Amino acid sequence: MIVRIKRSALKQTHGYEYLVRFALGGLATVFAGVIAERFGAATGGLFLAFPAILCASATLVEKHERDQKARKGLKGTERGRRAAALDAAGAGWGSLAMALFALVTWTFCALRGRDLTWVSVDRLGVRRDQPFFFPAAKFRCG
Amino acid sequence: MLNARSDLRAGQRLNASVEGSPRSLSPALMRMAIAYQADWRERTLSPRGTSACDWIKEALRMDYVIRFVAGGAVVSIFAVLGDLLRPKSFAGLFGAAPSVALAMLALAFAKQGSAYVAVEGRSMLLGSLALTLYSIAVCQLLIRMRVSAMTASVLAMIVWLGGALFFKSILLGSI
């Protein structure tokens, strides 16, 4: 796979589409913050991987491909759908990279304040004698 | 004495006298002073003025504004990168970039410290696994069910939410 930069793609994107993405990104961040404040960090953290951007991105990719075909007098519905599917497939791989990012963040932050972490984590509702994952397991962690 | 009850400074003086020389006051005055002391402490420790409420509301609003701007900016940067790069499957990687997470975790790290971010990071790991399921669901809906991108991405939200809550309940023990 040869990766290249297509500058002309920026001209296809209208100003309002950037605004929509900005607003969606901002709203997703605020929403994740509200959930974290209301239900705690453990639930709020799930929403750090909320697929708001992917939703907007797939829709825009489909629209751009359809418009490109329509300018040539062709019907681009199928091509738009396939382009959006490719975008989503890429996002699937990206989500694994995001999982790696989350793992590194978790490990780094847990190790950084190791002594204080357990005290604070106790306050957040995780028992010290239970592992972070599989709370029903019998072994000790940390 | 009644006038003094509404005066904060008089209350402070009275507190000082009660704490300093309790035996020099008569029992009735002592009871009144203790009652006033409790009332003064309650008023001092939990101010009910509208200005304090306004200040808290303003601070919360400012936090949301910062989150909105930071989140929007990071998401826009990744979206532009996704637009610029080809092929599409590679550009799609940026659709799952940790854009919301970057803004949120930076703010959480500054405000609540590393322990809080560790808990959020752990949950984000589960959320990103649910995002993998979401991407697969979107692909399948687009290719097999032949629905539009908007319909597919909205319908697949159910998969994401279900997956995230399932992983959380299995691995962390509670929803």
Side-chain angles (χ1 to χ4, degrees), chain B residues 5 14 29-41:
Chain B
R5 285 176 69 89
L14 193 56
L29 191 58
M30 187 71 183
R31 279 196 296 276
M32 194 181 284
I34 288 169
Y36 176 74
Q37 192 180 26
D39 181 51
W40 177 76
R41 277 186 179 158

Side-chain angles (χ1 to χ4, degrees), chain A residues 1-10 12-13 18 21-30 32-34 36-37 40-59 61-62 64-65 78 80-103 105-106 108-110 112-113 116-117 120-121 124 126 131-135, chain B residues 60 63-65 67-76 79-80 82-105 107 109 111-129 131-136 138-139 141-143 145-150 153-154 156-157 160-161 164-165 167-175:
Chain A
M1 181 192 289
I2 299 167
V3 179
R4 58 195 166 82
I5 294 172
K6 190 182 175 189
R7 287 182 191 169
S8 61
L10 287 180
Q12 289 181 349
T13 312
Y18 288 116
R21 283 166 171 178
F22 184 89
L24 269 175
L27 284 175
T29 313
V30 170
V34 170
E37 279 173 18
T43 308
L46 292 174
F47 285 82
L48 296 184
F50 187 67
I53 321 311
L54 192 54
C55 179
S57 142
T59 312
V61 163
E62 186 192 38
H64 286 168
E65 292 295 326
E78 185 60 29
R81 198 180 291 135
R82 284 182 180 276
L86 265 180
D87 193 65
W93 291 109
S95 64
L96 294 178
M98 186 194 265
L100 194 63
F101 170 87
L103 184 67
T105 306
W106 170 33
F108 175 76
C109 287
R112 188 178 178 272
L116 291 173
T117 299
S120 308
V121 166
L124 291 167
V126 178
F132 261 41
F133 283 138
F134 300 110
Chain B
L60 283 173
D63 193 17
Y64 289 147
V65 169
R67 278 179 189 178
F68 184 85
V69 173
V74 178
V75 164
S76 299
V80 169
D83 278 350
L84 277 173
L85 294 167
R86 290 290 182 279
K88 284 279 177 207
S89 55
F90 180 78
L93 286 174
F94 293 92
S99 38
V100 174
L102 276 176
M104 276 285 294
L105 291 178
L107 285 169
F109 195 84
K111 276 181 76 177
Q112 276 124 339
S114 58
Y116 190 88
V117 175
V119 174
E120 282 204 323
R122 181 191 58 176
S123 293
M124 186 188 161
L125 179 56
L126 305 180
S128 50
L129 294 180
L131 188 61
T132 311
L133 293 182
Y134 173 87
S135 306
I136 294 168
V138 170
C139 267
L141 285 169
L142 282 167
I143 300 299
M145 308 283 287
R146 304 173 72 85
V147 295
S148 70
M150 175 62 90
S153 50
V154 170
M157 286 277 186
W160 179 81
L161 193 63
L165 293 178
F167 287 139
K168 186 172 181 283
S169 64
I170 291 289
L171 298 172
L172 299 180
S174 63
I175 293 176

Side-chain angles (χ1 to χ4, degrees), chain A residues 26 33 52 66 74-75 96 113 128:
Chain A
R66 210 174 43 224
L74 300 166
K75 197 179 173 187
L96 294 178
R128 191 194 169 115

